[in-house]
Amino acid sequence: MISILLYGRNDAHGYNLHRRAALSLNCLAEVLTDDDDEIVFVDYNTPDELPTFVDALADTLTDQCTSRLRVLRVPAALHRERFQLLTHLPAVEPVCRNAAARRANPANRWLLSTNTDMILLPDSAESLSEVCRELADGFYGLPRFELPEWLWEQLPRSDPRGAMSEVRRLGPLLHLDESSPSHEWVRFDAPGDFQLCLRDDFVAIDGFDERMVLGWHVDSNLSRRLHLHRGSIESLEEAVAGYHCNHNRTPTVYQGPDPVGNDLTRFFLAVERADIPDQRGIWGLADVELEEVSVGSAARARFTAALVAATRTAPPGRSPWNPFETAFALTYDSAHVLPHIVDSIVVSGRHLTIGYLGANTVLRALIDDVVRELSPDGSLEVLYASDEHEVEELAESADLVIVDFGLDATLESPAGLDQGDRYEDVPLFPKPLRPVVIAFERLLERERARLDRGLHPRRFLLVNSSTVYLDSFVVSNLDCSSRATHSRVRRATVKRVPTANVDLVRDVRWADRLTGPREPLALRIGRTTSVEGLEDFSGFGSGWWLPDPSGIWSHGLRAVLTVVVGRIPAWTRPVLELTFDRVGVRRGRPVRIGLVVDGTRVETRDLTGGTHPTRWRVRLPRHALARRTFDVALEFDGDVDWADKNRLGLHLQSLLVRTGLIPMPLRDRLDIGASALGRIARSGRRALKTWVPRAGALRLSRRDASRP
């Protein structure tokens, strides 16, 4: 008899959306009694990582409602590709309502366009279906009676009969039943909350006008065109009362200081034709196969059963996880991670291609098992890749991409994770995961190319991505949810442009520097060497934390760096300058630190914890200069009150070697002989300024000064 057309998305449109929508859906279902009656809800542009709007409130819906309810999902990708550039709105009303009408039960004579905040009360008949059974052909409207927020909020949403009875009692008592007649082309103010028309009439005028993508007046346009088609708008107010759950406590996307809407003149006042030839045959996303989503406890039970069945084959879990190991945790319990991955699969469409990039064979097998349980018909497909050569097909076809930067904890001595593959407490990055890292960079390139073509950003699920090897790169290149260290999973989309230049391959090879040949860090006289710009860290020995985008922390009580200094003028004593921006002991606490050059402690300083931009300048010892290649070490004395559990000390930002940067004490002034002075004098005044490092740093004897 009747197909009720509704639409929405899982967002926060208006005040207390989920409560009033559940109340309305349950009450609308109560007035449908014909076997063919249905509620067709188009879930439009709900973010891919969220369930549909109806599924989000399904536990509050009655059995009567879920038995009548059909949910059609219009994915976010379709909105982005077809409509996002045309409108500021997240939902395009005429497209939604047309999509519902096109797919409604053809056995039903009537279409009712309304909203998920309406409560309909037939006056004397048993139901709206009975009202429509004997109704003459035509187009019908209703006045809208407003229910204040306090009233509908106290109605029991899961008891629609009780709620409807209370509205029927209070409406007249509180003088809420105020009719609002309007222009003859719309009959009543706010006509869109009840527009009942024949299905044949709706098709004859080509549905709602899909050019109206900016909001407002969509209902008035339909009313004007059906009025032209039928010649009048009839009132159903003697048979049905329509109550609207007001939601003005908070503004919606339609309100604002300068609201944008469809042109009233073009789409209402100037309309002279009922049909729309330009959209005939294509309205309502005629070229798209929309997925019909299962709603209710049966669907949820199926997901749970699939997950339980898959995890039966998982290896036994490991011992409790230690959160203090997070920074270097390269393994995890795959069965623990699986439910958090499935969370993103079950809210996706039925036809989904999943991409997995990783080397964890245990997790791969579990994903295979759960996909087979969820999709015996093969509508869910999984593509696997473990290196850059296999990633191309995944990059081309996957809708959801799982990137796994870990291995299963139950594997016996997985390659690259033996106890010998460690330096102090820093494990090497596993060899099986290194091709994954390279492939991940390639995948990011391909995703950015897609975004440049205007395609919808794909969802990424990052597994075990919070380690020190990966976190800086991930945060720089993807917009991520929280780190979720317990689940090991975070959701992300790729940024069009990285926010920092982080070398991922450099970071995963960080610990390798301790097992290969040492290459000293080359320092050129007078040129600052920034840690941020380094590509090769092989000169950094023990006692350093993983580099971050702005520098590198010393790690523990002693940090060693091997450097090689360029050619040094024989007549001068160069100065080494180290720049730090933070001291890693607890804020305000003192710490004593020594700077050791080539085995000699050249200076000791007392610093306090916190943010303290510091330049530490010392003269280089003669024996170090003679060798040109030497070690520089930071040594922490006594008991240190570390601010971080990883014992981070000084945050080094840059190094500089230059001549005569600071005045030397009197006992260290240099004597310049006559031959040197003569060379300076002959070079002229400009050369003299170049040679003399700084006033007060030289001493010329009277004997030398009197010579030509």
Side-chain angles (χ1 to χ4, degrees):
M1 181 66 64
I2 306 171
S3 293
I4 297 180
L5 312 181
L6 300 171
Y7 78 100
R9 67 192 297 266
N10 195 353
D11 59 11
H13 178 75
Y15 174 74
N16 211 345
L17 171 64
H18 287 73
R19 183 183 183 97
R20 72 174 190 272
L23 174 66
S24 175
L25 287 168
N26 287 336
C27 289
L28 289 174
E30 285 298 315
V31 300
L32 300 179
T33 55
D34 191 86
D35 290 343
D36 290 326
D37 288 346
E38 62 181 358
I39 301 173
V40 186
F41 184 95
V42 170
D43 187 273
Y44 185 92
N45 190 30
T46 288
D48 293 335
E49 64 273 14
L50 299 180
T52 66
F53 176 61
V54 171
D55 199 47
L57 49 81
D59 63 313
T60 61
L61 300 181
T62 63
D63 292 340
Q64 166 76 354
C65 180
T66 55
S67 67
R68 299 279 185 184
L69 190 59
R70 296 171 54 202
V71 179
L72 305 171
R73 185 165 193 169
V74 177
L78 188 145
H79 172 74
R80 179 181 177 86
E81 292 166 10
R82 297 195 181 187
F83 302 105
Q84 182 166 297
L85 296 179
L86 304 176
T87 180
H88 63 291
L89 299 176
V92 184
E93 179 182 357
V95 174
C96 295
R97 295 195 185 280
N98 282 349
R102 177 172 286 279
R103 293 159 182 82
N105 185 351
N108 287 333
R109 178 187 178 207
W110 295 98
L111 298 179
L112 172 61
S113 178
T114 185
N115 291 302
T116 55
D117 47 21
M118 290 297 295
I119 297 175
L120 303 180
L121 302 180
D123 186 25
S124 57
E126 179 182 349
S127 67
L128 183 64
S129 305
E130 293 301 316
V131 171
C132 293
R133 190 177 306 280
E134 305 300 328
L135 202 60
D137 290 357
F139 172 43
Y140 293 85
L142 273 185
R144 185 177 84 174
F145 303 151
E146 292 287 345
L147 295 177
E149 280 88 340
W150 69 265
L151 196 160
W152 63 258
E153 279 185 314
Q154 70 180 12
L155 299 176
R157 69 186 104 174
S158 296
D159 179 14
R161 288 194 177 275
M164 294 164 70
S165 176
E166 185 71 352
V167 173
R168 192 186 304 274
R169 181 180 75 87
L170 291 177
L173 284 176
L174 299 178
H175 301 270
L176 299 177
D177 300 359
E178 181 181 70
S179 185
S180 51
S182 184
H183 194 283
E184 64 172 322
W185 293 351
V186 294
R187 186 65 188 258
F188 299 106
D189 184 55
D193 285 306
F194 189 94
Q195 293 183 297
L196 180 70
C197 69
L198 294 169
R199 177 189 180 90
D200 291 342
D201 287 351
F202 189 90
V203 173
I205 68 167
D206 306 306
F208 284 88
D209 192 333
E210 295 186 357
R211 296 169 296 182
M212 302 183 70
V213 297
L214 299 180
W216 301 108
H217 316 310
V218 173
D219 50 356
S220 298
N221 172 271
L222 181 76
S223 184
R224 168 60 176 153
R225 290 164 49 230
L226 281 171
H227 182 273
L228 286 170
H229 182 73
R230 272 282 158 193
S232 65
I233 303 174
E234 307 303 325
S235 172
L236 211 58
E237 59 186 315
E238 297 299 324
V240 180
Y243 290 88
H244 174 252
C245 297
N246 194 23
H247 48 88
N248 287 333
R249 283 180 178 168
T250 59
T252 70
V253 69
Y254 290 102
Q255 280 91 37
D258 187 22
V260 177
N262 297 305
D263 187 332
L264 180 63
T265 299
R266 176 189 177 191
F267 290 111
F268 181 67
L269 299 176
V271 171
E272 296 181 353
R273 180 169 180 167
D275 60 343
I276 309 173
D278 288 346
Q279 69 178 41
R280 185 166 301 148
I282 62 172
W283 56 266
L285 303 176
D287 61 328
V288 179
E289 181 182 353
L290 296 183
E291 176 189 358
E292 188 161 338
V293 181
S294 299
V295 177
S297 57
R300 293 190 294 272
R302 182 170 61 89
F303 294 141
T304 304
L307 188 58
V308 170
T311 53
R312 287 197 188 103
T313 63
R318 64 171 180 169
S319 59
W321 169 66
N322 183 355
F324 293 105
E325 297 176 354
T326 302
F328 294 106
L330 300 169
T331 63
Y332 59 83
D333 179 0
S334 299
H336 172 80
V337 166
L338 182 65
H340 301 284
I341 292 176
V342 171
D343 179 70
S344 288
I345 296 175
V346 299
V347 299
S348 303
R350 185 178 64 227
H351 300 284
L352 180 73
T353 300
I354 304 164
Y356 174 89
L357 172 60
N360 186 351
T361 56
V362 174
L363 184 61
R364 284 180 56 158
L366 291 175
I367 292 173
D368 270 341
D369 290 344
V370 77
V371 165
R372 277 195 296 270
E373 293 289 336
L374 286 175
S375 175
D377 61 351
S379 56
L380 290 178
E381 181 183 3
V382 186
L383 302 174
Y384 291 106
S386 58
D387 58 40
E388 61 180 323
H389 304 295
E390 299 173 340
V391 81
E392 290 300 319
E393 182 183 2
L394 184 152
E396 184 67 29
S397 304
D399 303 306
L400 171 67
V401 181
I402 303 167
V403 184
D404 187 356
F405 296 109
L407 298 171
D408 190 77
T410 60
L411 297 177
E412 296 182 3
S413 299
L417 288 175
D418 296 331
Q419 288 300 312
D421 285 342
R422 303 175 69 88
Y423 182 87
E424 297 174 343
D425 58 347
V426 181
L428 302 185
F429 196 77
K431 294 181 178 65
L433 292 179
R434 299 189 182 204
V436 174
V437 167
I438 296 172
F440 180 53
E441 290 190 301
R442 175 60 180 156
L443 186 59
L444 293 182
E445 293 175 5
R446 292 294 307 275
E447 179 65 6
R448 288 192 173 107
R450 289 182 70 256
L451 297 178
D452 288 342
R453 299 198 303 269
L455 298 180
H456 182 68
R458 284 183 290 195
R459 287 176 295 153
F460 280 67
L461 288 183
L462 307 178
V463 181
N464 209 56
S465 65
S466 297
T467 64
V468 293
Y469 305 102
L470 303 159
D471 192 57
S472 293
F473 181 84
V474 166
V475 171
S476 298
N477 285 272
L478 296 100
D479 288 312
C480 301
S481 62
S482 64
R483 297 189 180 202
T485 51
H486 290 84
S487 70
R488 320 299 198 281
V489 176
R490 55 180 169 181
R491 298 169 175 84
T493 55
V494 175
K495 296 177 181 177
R496 287 183 176 274
V497 180
T499 53
N501 185 20
V502 181
D503 188 340
L504 178 58
V505 175
R506 179 201 71 180
D507 287 353
V508 301
R509 292 175 178 168
W510 166 245
D512 297 352
R513 77 197 191 286
L514 302 172
T515 61
R518 299 288 298 280
E519 292 292 336
L521 178 64
L523 303 178
R524 298 181 61 180
I525 304 297
R527 178 172 296 182
T528 299
T529 298
S530 172
V531 176
E532 179 183 359
L534 291 179
E535 296 182 0
D536 183 5
F537 282 84
S538 57
F540 287 78
S542 61
W544 295 99
W545 196 249
L546 191 78
D548 57 59
S550 62
I552 185 171
W553 284 98
S554 67
H555 171 47
L557 295 176
R558 193 170 191 270
V560 180
L561 168 63
T562 302
V563 301
V564 58
V565 180
R567 187 173 181 276
I568 303 168
W571 54 269
T572 188
R573 290 275 298 279
V575 172
L576 172 66
E577 177 184 297
L578 304 178
T579 302
F580 307 94
D581 66 339
R582 282 168 285 175
V583 182
V585 298
R586 292 192 186 278
R587 184 174 296 276
R589 296 295 181 88
V591 64
R592 173 161 287 192
I593 307 171
L595 185 62
V596 180
V597 178
D598 202 31
T600 301
R601 180 173 282 208
V602 295
E603 189 170 300
T604 300
R605 287 195 178 188
D606 292 322
L607 300 175
T608 57
T611 302
H612 301 291
T614 301
R615 284 194 176 95
W616 197 338
R617 301 181 179 120
V618 296
R619 283 173 310 200
L620 291 170
R622 293 184 185 278
H623 61 277
L625 294 174
R627 296 181 55 192
R628 291 182 57 188
T629 299
F630 51 87
D631 288 341
V632 177
L634 297 170
E635 293 182 345
F636 286 71
D637 295 341
D639 294 330
V640 180
D641 191 4
W642 304 105
D644 184 272
K645 64 180 182 297
N646 295 309
R647 302 186 303 156
L648 305 183
L650 291 179
H651 190 247
L652 176 64
Q653 291 188 301
S654 65
L655 304 94
L656 172 64
V657 175
R658 61 188 305 175
T659 56
L661 183 62
I662 57 176
M664 297 182 183
L666 291 176
R667 65 178 181 273
D668 292 324
R669 289 178 179 174
L670 301 178
D671 287 321
I672 297 182
S675 60
L677 183 62
R679 289 196 300 272
I680 294 174
R682 286 192 295 271
S683 299
R685 184 174 299 174
R686 182 176 302 173
L688 180 62
K689 292 180 180 178
T690 303
W691 276 70
V692 179
R694 187 165 180 171
L698 305 176
R699 184 183 69 188
L700 305 181
S701 67
R702 292 181 178 178
R703 179 183 57 192
D704 291 337
S706 64
R707 295 177 182 176

